[in-house]
């Protein structure tokens, strides 16, 4: 179940937001969500950039680091200057436990679902 949070939450959520923006003719926001949808592992936290871009970014310090960084890059660069590459064929990602009973750990914490919101 590699990429569970992305596959089960982020991808469907971002895709739904893009469709809603399209339906209501919010094309700039639709493009923003399609940009996020284009990344295979948007929650991996694995990225690199030039020093001058890094100095210009407002980097988040909490669990939203990955999405925030992708959003900041989108705001500051033209799409043709952004690339995603695979460095190797068999990369083992760090996986969080489901943590079904504790919303402060694992996947619960990553996607911000609390028992009271279910």
């Amino acid at each position: 179940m590699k990429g569970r949070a992305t596959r089960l939450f982020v991808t469907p959520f971002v895709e739904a937001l893009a469709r809603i923006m399209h339906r209501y003719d919010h094309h700039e926001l639709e493009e923003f969500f399609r940009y996020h949808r284009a990344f295979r592992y948007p929650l991996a936290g694995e990225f690199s950039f030039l020093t001058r871009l890094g100095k210009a970014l407002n980097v988040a310090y909490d669990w939203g680091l990955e999405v925030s960084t992708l959003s900041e890059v989108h705001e500051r660069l033209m799409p043709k200057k952004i690339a995603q590459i695979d460095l190797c064929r068999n990369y083992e990602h760090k996986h969080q436990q489901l943590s079904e009973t504790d919303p402060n750990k694992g996947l619960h914490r990553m996607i911000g679902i609390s028992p009271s919101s279910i």
Side-chain angles (χ1 to χ4, degrees), residues 26-38:
H26 297 295
H27 300 293
E28 194 171 312
L29 284 172
E30 177 188 2
E31 186 272 326
F32 174 77
F33 290 118
R34 297 263 178 237
Y35 159 81
H36 276 276
R37 175 62 186 94

Side-chain angles (χ1 to χ4, degrees), residues 66-83:
E66 299 88 350
V67 173
S68 173
T69 301
L70 287 175
S71 298
E72 286 280 324
V73 169
H74 177 268
E75 184 176 318
R76 288 168 169 45
L77 295 178
M78 296 182 299
K80 68 181 184 179
K81 293 193 172 214
I82 303 169

